[in-house]
Amino acid sequence: MGNSNGKNRTHPVADHEPDYAYKDYGYDYEYDQRNDYDSGWHPDKTYGEAYFHEHNNDSPLTKRRSCTDVLCLILFLVFLGGWGAVAFLGIQGGDISKVIYPTDSQGNICGKGEMTDRQALLMFDLTQCLNPAVLVTGCLTTHVCVNKCPDENYSPLGEAKLGTNQQKIKERMKPFCKPVSDEQFKQDVETLVQKEICPPWYLKSSEVLGRCFPVSMKAEDNDSNEEVVVKKVDTGGDHDITKGEIEGSLYRLGAFLNIRQFGERIFMDLKETYWMIGLALIGACILSFVWIVLMRFLASFMVWVSILTVFLGIGGLLGYSGYRLYFVWLSTDPETHKNIFQLNWTPEIVDDFLKQRDTWMAFTIILGIIFLVIVLLFLFLRQRIMIAIALIEQGSKAVGQMFSSLFFPIIPFLLQLVVVGWFLVVALYLASWGEQEYRVAFKNDRDCSQFEGCSQTVNGSDSVPYQSNDTCTPEEFKPCIDSCPEAMCQFVKYTKNKDYSWMQFVNVFGLYWGVFFFSAFGEIVLAGVFSQWYWTFNKKTDLPDCSLGTAMWNATVFHLGTIAFGSLLIAIIRMIRTMLEYVERKCKRFNNDLTKCLIWCCKCCLWCLEKFMRFINRNAYIMCAVKSTNFCKSAKEAFNLLMRNLVRVVVLDSVVDFLLFLGKLVIVLLTGVASYMTFSGQIPEIKDDIPSLNYFFTPIVFIVIGSYFIASAFFGVYNMAVDTLFLCFLEDLERNDGSVEKPYYMSKSLKKILGKMEKSVNESRHRSP
């Protein structure tokens, strides 16, 4: 590095240099940015023209604004109209109750229409679910809508064979029969059961997602699986019903309905602790808010506390994992030596997983690597961390003076919830927009091909017997049922509408564009708030009274087109990623290694592209908020400004993001540890007040995930503040020289940061060979 007095200048000097070019820049570079190679400045560079040509001292903050990217706003409004048309067609043709409520064997929706007072679904013979075909055809037994699930074990057929009064039997079983006329119900019990109007037996059940499931009969030993629940004589079948059969039926039916005992237990745990999870998330909000407020006054201290907390937290987890690994390694229990592929997928799989030696070895290795990386980062980046902390302190001052900005993220978050809610409603209506599909099934593999009426017409003339899993309609199939009672025309699902694919495509794209649109709206508003703070010369007396309101007005009235443009780019990339994941699922059946490699390469490239575009968008929104320029011009100016100061970007941007991430991690760790101590019974004072849970980690997982999102919302304001101040800081360096005529807008603290940055770069340069 050098100066004009004879040092080795690394950049050529332009002719007729203005007098202000050499004033008050940095002690190592003759106070001239052009002498600093690491700033990236060079007259021949292609990263745009620097702001040295600006001779006035006015801030770049545009006082008179104009609408930007109007065409993109119009495109966004047109798309919203198309999305609304798709929703209208879906609502008009679909019935959301088909998705929400179960459907009986005749296609009637429980809880709707004629079944308004019958909201639960009862299956007559649950043992039919033992057939593996349930994964395709559903449970091949009669389904009927009932008012409530049975609260007792009872066999109408068995009672009738014992000679019990028919009227008493009918009174007990009528709530669980098909809704038929009084004339039909006058038939004897045996006939009603034979015609499948009433069930031959039923068990005490509980309602799960609108369906009646027998209460768990899980046996403690294998012998209990053979215990008879309903005798053969009471079923009308050819064998006794045992506990093992009921449990097996529940499991296979759970596969068809995507329900497992594990899921039910999770659901029950959430039902018991939902209010405690809510309180914990409110506590996470309060903790995040207090942390942000303390950063206003003790930014440096709070950042170091975050670093120390994360260091001790990761170290403590590493020590605990090593401790568990030591005892598991010495254990003689053969269960501990199994690998994960030898575990059975049962509701106790988590407990089994935590017993494995390989589990704790993996935890120890992973935590050890993370701990080592963190230690190395702190050792080699300590100087940059000090610089980043100083910049965070400036962000703290900006947030403190613009305190209302802390609460602003609630607005875009609520708007994003509206978009997600709208997407779900439209998706449900589109999913329910279709015809009922019925499939042929034969009980006990009965061959009904020889019976009259059990054939269908093909190609207009040929008569072909019905085969299992053929499509059918109840009206056309009725003659076959009359002649062969074992034949069934069973409702299976709702077929998709022919326009379902492209309509759902529009719906998913609308979700992405809408969510990213309001996320961008939040960024550009915050950029307007903090750029107003930076480009106000006297920050104690000249700040406007309602900077947040002004920024929201500017974003809403002038820059919605720019927001639509930037969010459209991200939405397109995310949609391509979604389509690629769909292709990947379709290609799994071929098990082609080359295809997998190509897909993973594409996914990696698209992920990097989305990250890069998010970075460009964020800085483009800052430039737009400052100068009221369109998206392309804003992105170009922001990118050029960053490239002209590339080393500073590397020094500060990633380190600041890392430090703020540590702050979020502290919030998550504190809430996670507190919830663990609570639900694991480690606090004796409240141990008796904690409900008994199947898995105590269930609420902990939801609390930790919720705490991370809450902390991200609060720290996102700091991220935006630092990014905005940094970009304004770089332009201030080029636009002004610190002289009386052209003073910096930056504070004295930021000038100190500038000195630290140049010193840090200079020291690293001298250390390098």
Side-chain angles (χ1 to χ4, degrees):
M1 297 298 106
N3 58 35
S4 58
N5 294 328
K7 295 181 182 179
N8 296 324
R9 183 186 295 273
T10 57
H11 295 306
V13 180
D15 295 335
H16 309 296
E17 296 173 355
D19 294 335
Y20 61 80
Y22 287 91
K23 296 180 181 178
D24 198 18
Y25 173 72
Y27 62 90
D28 274 333
Y29 307 104
E30 287 293 335
Y31 301 95
D32 184 359
Q33 183 180 7
R34 294 171 299 171
N35 293 339
D36 174 13
Y37 178 82
D38 295 286
S39 72
W41 188 88
H42 193 297
D44 299 326
K45 288 272 187 176
T46 57
Y47 296 129
E49 185 177 5
Y51 295 104
F52 292 122
H53 64 280
E54 300 286 349
H55 290 273
N56 59 73
N57 190 39
D58 294 336
S59 77
L61 202 64
T62 301
K63 301 296 187 294
R64 185 178 181 85
R65 293 185 173 268
S66 59
C67 296
T68 55
D69 298 299
V70 178
L71 290 178
C72 288
L73 178 59
I74 294 174
L75 177 63
F76 182 64
L77 295 176
V78 170
F79 175 80
L80 290 181
W83 195 11
V86 169
F88 174 77
L89 293 174
I91 294 172
Q92 191 177 48
D95 184 357
I96 200 171
S97 60
K98 295 177 181 178
V99 181
I100 298 176
Y101 300 103
T103 306
D104 69 10
S105 299
Q106 282 68 48
N108 300 312
I109 301 171
C110 299
K112 300 292 290 184
E114 298 179 354
M115 301 292 173
T116 304
D117 59 340
R118 292 171 169 254
Q119 300 180 352
L121 185 72
L122 176 69
M123 286 157 279
F124 279 6
D125 187 0
L126 200 60
T127 59
Q128 294 294 324
C129 300
L130 281 170
N131 192 326
V134 299
L135 297 174
V136 179
T137 63
C139 196
L140 301 180
T141 186
T142 303
H143 298 56
V144 62
C145 298
V146 296
N147 180 262
K148 65 176 183 177
C149 295
D151 55 5
E152 62 176 348
N153 298 339
Y154 186 63
S155 174
L157 183 61
E159 291 291 327
K161 290 182 177 180
L162 292 175
T164 306
N165 184 276
Q166 293 265 329
Q167 191 60 35
K168 289 183 178 180
I169 297 175
K170 289 182 180 180
E171 289 177 1
R172 292 180 66 176
M173 72 176 186
K174 186 173 183 180
F176 312 109
C177 298
K178 294 179 181 178
V180 295
S181 64
D182 293 338
E183 187 65 29
Q184 287 180 285
F185 203 69
K186 288 181 180 179
Q187 302 174 81
D188 58 73
V189 173
E190 289 85 348
T191 304
L192 292 173
V193 170
Q194 185 179 5
K195 291 184 176 181
E196 297 191 342
I197 296 175
C198 295
W201 54 272
Y202 51 81
L203 302 175
K204 182 179 180 180
S205 306
S206 59
E207 186 178 336
V208 180
L209 298 181
R211 294 166 175 83
C212 295
F213 286 87
V215 293
S216 181
M217 298 180 179
K218 193 170 183 68
E220 298 298 329
D221 53 70
N222 293 332
D223 292 337
S224 298
N225 282 329
E226 303 302 323
E227 183 180 338
V228 176
V229 177
V230 184
K231 294 181 179 179
K232 176 173 64 176
V233 69
D234 298 335
T235 64
D238 56 0
H239 68 287
D240 296 329
I241 306 299
T242 65
K243 280 187 177 181
E245 279 189 293
I246 296 296
E247 284 297 325
S249 302
L250 286 172
Y251 185 82
R252 289 191 181 274
L253 183 60
F256 177 68
L257 299 172
N258 207 14
I259 301 169
R260 288 288 190 273
Q261 196 173 24
F262 179 76
E264 293 176 23
R265 292 185 179 186
I266 294 291
F267 178 78
M268 293 303 296
D269 288 346
L270 291 177
K271 186 177 180 181
E272 290 289 334
T273 60
Y274 72 92
W275 62 275
M276 303 180 73
I277 296 174
L279 288 178
L281 294 181
I282 293 174
C285 287
I286 296 173
L287 182 60
S288 300
F289 181 75
V290 171
W291 194 274
I292 293 296
V293 172
L294 289 176
M295 285 187 69
R296 166 65 181 90
F297 304 101
L298 304 168
S300 178
F301 175 76
M302 297 303 292
V303 172
W304 282 114
V305 167
S306 300
I307 293 173
L308 183 61
T309 303
V310 171
F311 184 80
L312 294 177
I314 299 297
L317 290 174
L318 175 60
Y320 178 75
S321 295
Y323 172 79
R324 289 293 300 269
L325 176 62
Y326 174 76
F327 285 100
V328 171
W329 198 278
L330 297 179
S331 174
T332 57
D333 185 356
E335 292 293 322
T336 62
H337 298 280
K338 290 182 177 180
N339 59 54
I340 190 172
F341 300 106
Q342 294 175 306
L343 299 180
N344 295 319
W345 188 261
T346 65
E348 289 75 28
I349 188 172
V350 175
D351 295 332
D352 295 338
F353 179 73
L354 295 177
K355 293 178 182 177
Q356 309 307 307
R357 183 178 64 182
D358 292 348
T359 299
W360 293 105
M361 182 183 293
F363 284 166
T364 303
I365 294 173
I366 293 171
L367 289 170
I369 293 173
I370 294 174
F371 186 77
L372 179 62
V373 169
I374 291 176
V375 170
L376 294 177
L377 285 175
F378 290 158
L379 289 176
F380 291 102
L381 298 180
R382 61 188 184 280
Q383 186 64 36
R384 296 184 179 185
I385 289 174
M386 295 296 295
I387 298 171
I389 289 175
L391 187 58
I392 291 175
E393 288 179 336
Q394 295 304 302
S396 300
K397 293 181 180 179
V399 173
Q401 289 186 270
M402 304 291 187
F403 202 68
S404 58
S405 61
L406 280 177
F407 303 96
F408 170 73
I410 296 174
I411 296 176
F413 176 73
L414 293 177
L415 293 173
Q416 287 176 323
L417 285 183
V418 171
V419 173
V420 173
W422 175 255
F423 160 78
L424 292 175
V425 170
V426 175
L428 287 174
Y429 272 109
L430 291 177
S432 64
W433 186 12
E435 298 297 326
Q436 295 172 334
E437 180 178 306
Y438 296 84
R439 295 277 179 175
V440 175
F442 299 103
K443 292 182 180 180
N444 303 319
D445 296 327
R446 178 66 183 275
D447 182 10
C448 296
S449 59
Q450 305 300 321
F451 289 88
E452 184 180 356
C454 289
S455 59
Q456 57 182 330
T457 302
V458 180
N459 298 327
S461 58
D462 299 334
S463 182
V464 178
Y466 279 109
Q467 301 294 324
S468 180
N469 209 36
D470 284 348
T471 57
C472 60
T473 59
E475 295 78 12
E476 294 178 356
F477 199 76
K478 192 174 184 303
C480 182
I481 297 176
D482 294 339
S483 58
C484 182
E486 287 82 2
M488 298 177 61
C489 185
Q490 178 84 20
F491 169 79
V492 177
K493 62 180 180 179
Y494 292 96
T495 57
K496 298 291 187 265
N497 183 276
K498 60 183 178 64
D499 297 319
Y500 173 81
S501 296
W502 72 264
M503 286 185 170
Q504 203 63 281
F505 178 92
V506 171
N507 192 36
V508 173
F509 188 79
L511 169 69
Y512 290 150
W513 199 355
V515 169
F516 296 142
F517 180 89
F518 288 117
S519 176
F521 176 78
E523 290 182 350
I524 203 168
V525 169
L526 291 175
V529 170
F530 296 120
S531 62
Q532 178 71 56
W533 181 87
Y534 186 93
W535 293 110
T536 299
F537 195 79
N538 191 333
K539 296 174 175 56
K540 292 184 178 180
T541 59
D542 296 342
L543 285 174
D545 294 331
C546 191
S547 297
L548 181 61
T550 302
M552 290 181 65
W553 171 264
N554 291 339
T556 305
V557 175
F558 299 108
H559 304 314
L560 287 183
T562 299
I563 294 171
F565 195 160
S567 56
L568 173 63
L569 296 177
I570 305 298
I572 291 174
I573 297 172
R574 180 59 64 85
M575 196 67 203
I576 295 174
R577 291 180 62 187
T578 303
M579 295 170 64
L580 189 63
E581 290 175 0
Y582 175 79
V583 172
E584 182 184 20
R585 288 196 299 271
K586 291 295 184 181
C587 290
K588 278 184 178 180
R589 68 186 66 175
F590 301 109
N591 196 26
N592 188 311
D593 291 339
L594 177 61
T595 304
K596 290 180 181 179
C597 180
L598 291 175
I599 289 177
W600 273 102
C601 289
C602 292
K603 289 171 68 176
C604 180
C605 292
L606 287 171
W607 181 85
C608 294
L609 177 61
E610 182 175 330
K611 289 294 182 183
F612 176 74
M613 284 308 305
R614 283 180 179 274
F615 175 78
I616 293 295
N617 282 13
R618 193 178 183 89
N619 290 283
Y621 296 146
I622 295 172
M623 278 296 186
C624 178
V626 174
K627 301 183 178 182
S628 190
T629 50
N630 62 49
F631 179 85
C632 293
K633 186 175 182 180
S634 298
K636 179 182 177 182
E637 289 194 13
F639 181 76
N640 287 336
L641 180 60
L642 292 171
M643 292 302 295
R644 292 197 298 268
N645 298 271
L646 184 59
V647 173
R648 294 192 182 98
V649 175
V650 174
V651 168
L652 275 184
D653 191 61
S654 57
V655 179
V656 169
D657 289 342
F658 175 69
L659 293 180
L660 292 177
F661 171 75
L662 292 184
K664 291 188 285 187
L665 202 59
V666 169
I667 303 296
V668 173
L669 282 174
L670 291 177
T671 53
V673 169
S675 58
Y676 174 81
M677 297 290 288
T678 301
F679 291 105
S680 62
Q682 302 293 325
I683 306 177
E685 290 78 6
I686 61 172
K687 183 177 181 180
D688 295 334
D689 298 325
I690 303 300
S692 178
L693 303 176
N694 295 299
Y695 308 110
F696 75 89
F697 62 79
T698 300
I700 298 175
V701 170
F702 281 85
I703 289 171
V704 167
I705 294 174
S707 299
Y708 178 78
F709 284 110
I710 290 170
S712 297
F714 280 94
F715 279 85
V717 176
Y718 258 86
N719 269 318
M720 200 65 206
V722 172
D723 288 347
T724 303
L725 296 182
F726 183 59
L727 205 63
C728 294
F729 166 75
L730 296 179
E731 181 165 343
D732 194 12
L733 287 177
E734 292 189 353
R735 184 178 290 273
N736 303 304
D737 58 8
S739 64
V740 177
E741 296 81 10
K742 298 179 67 62
Y744 289 128
Y745 279 80
M746 70 182 76
S747 63
K748 293 181 180 179
S749 300
L750 276 175
K751 292 178 184 177
K752 291 180 181 178
I753 295 174
L754 173 62
K756 290 180 180 178
M757 291 172 65
E758 307 307 345
K759 183 178 180 181
S760 174
V761 172
N762 192 42
E763 288 177 352
S764 63
R765 184 188 305 112
H766 285 301
R767 285 196 299 267
S768 60

